[in-house]
């Protein structure tokens, strides 16, 4: 906690309750933590395409991180209280910018608090730093990439939402229900064990045993957030050609010509 190059990033956020994350940060957080907001800090404004949480402009994101005291030599430890879903999004964004020294704290803030580790309401002074961008475009899949994968099977499409949303039985958020044709369902929460901790490598390898290690894989969810734990899990399990479709389902359905499938894939 007291090493000068370590930055704790509090990334608690609740969909539909955008002020809740900052309020919980103000009530208590890990000492030295900065707060980053999913929609205000780490997403671009919503437009016709790009999904509900469009990727931020890389230069704008780098500027925001630098103002928060995150520099090119920082080690970032991200945490949330949503099963590591939001923290994983920050992990992906930083890796996309070319920053390797970023980690997700196992379990969540509540586990930290329940273990009686230090909690404070003090907000640290943020000393601006310098953050260099070395963009990693190979981590990102475009809607055209997804269209090709859906049509030809050129890559495995993984839908990270829960089974009922994947099957089109319910859709509480987006305008259409269902999934991208050809996609298979791996619910993101299944990367965690019964105690809410990340599964070990062997368990993750078993989870993805039907996939080939050399397969190209494109992962999506509703808006590019809850897909990120699956991206981490696949990397931990030894998969090396994994891309995120950042706009995800909410971007897919914004194009009139894109097909929608329901039920289970054979």
């Amino acid at each position: 906690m007291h090493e000068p190059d370590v930055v704790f990033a509090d990334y608690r956020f609740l969909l539909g309750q955008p002020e809740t994350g900052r309020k919980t940060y103000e009530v208590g957080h890990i000492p030295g933590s900065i707060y980053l907001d999913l929609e205000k800090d780490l997403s671009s404004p919503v437009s016709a395409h790009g999904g509900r949480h469009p990727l931020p402009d890389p230069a704008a994101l780098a500027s925001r991180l630098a103002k928060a005291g995150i520099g090119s030599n920082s080690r970032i430890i991200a945490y949330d209280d949503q099963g590591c879903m939001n923290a994983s999004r920050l992990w992906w964004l930083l890796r996309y910018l070319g920053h390797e020294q970023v980690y997700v704290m196992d379990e969540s803030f509540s586990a930290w608090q329940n273990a009686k580790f230090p909690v404070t309401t003090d907000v640290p002074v943020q000393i601006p730093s310098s953050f260099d961008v070395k963009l990693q475009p190979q981590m990102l899949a475009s809607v055209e990439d997804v269209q090709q994968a859906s049509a030809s099977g050129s890559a495995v499409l993984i839908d990270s939402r829960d089974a009922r949303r994947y099957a089109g039985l319910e859709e509480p958020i987006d305008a259409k229900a269902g999934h991208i044709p050809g996609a298979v369902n791996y619910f993101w929460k299944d990367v965690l064990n019964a105690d809410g901790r990340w599964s070990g490598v062997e368990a993750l390898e078993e989870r993805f045993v039907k996939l080939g290690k050399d397969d190209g894989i494109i992962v999506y969810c509703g808006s590019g957030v809850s897909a990120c734990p699956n991206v981490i899990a696949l990397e931990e399990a030894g998969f090396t050609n994994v891309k995120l479709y950042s706009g995800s389902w909410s971007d897919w359905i914004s194009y009139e010509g894109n097909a929608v499938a329901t039920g289970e894939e054979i």
Side-chain angles (χ1 to χ4, degrees), residues 158 186 191 202-213 217 229-235 237 239:
I158 289 181
Y186 285 85
V191 305
E202 289 186 3
L204 294 175
E205 288 178 336
E206 177 63 26
R207 180 173 186 251
F208 299 116
V209 70
K210 293 182 180 180
L211 306 178
K213 290 289 180 72
I217 298 173
N230 264 340
V231 175
I232 293 179
L234 284 159
E235 183 174 297
F239 293 83

Side-chain angles (χ1 to χ4, degrees), residues 8-14 28-30 33 77-88 104-119 188-189 192-193 195-198 229:
F8 285 92
D10 187 315
Y11 202 17
R12 285 176 282 178
F13 186 88
L14 288 177
H29 50 264
I30 296 174
S33 297
I77 300 173
Y79 69 89
D80 59 32
D81 229 353
Q82 288 73 44
C84 300
M85 176 183 74
N86 296 331
S88 296
V104 173
M105 187 178 80
D106 201 7
E107 300 182 80
S108 294
F109 176 75
S110 291
W112 173 279
Q113 195 170 34
N114 292 338
K116 308 300 183 183
F117 291 139
V119 172
W188 75 269
K189 283 189 178 181
L192 308 175
N193 63 26
D195 298 323
R197 302 191 68 175
W198 282 79

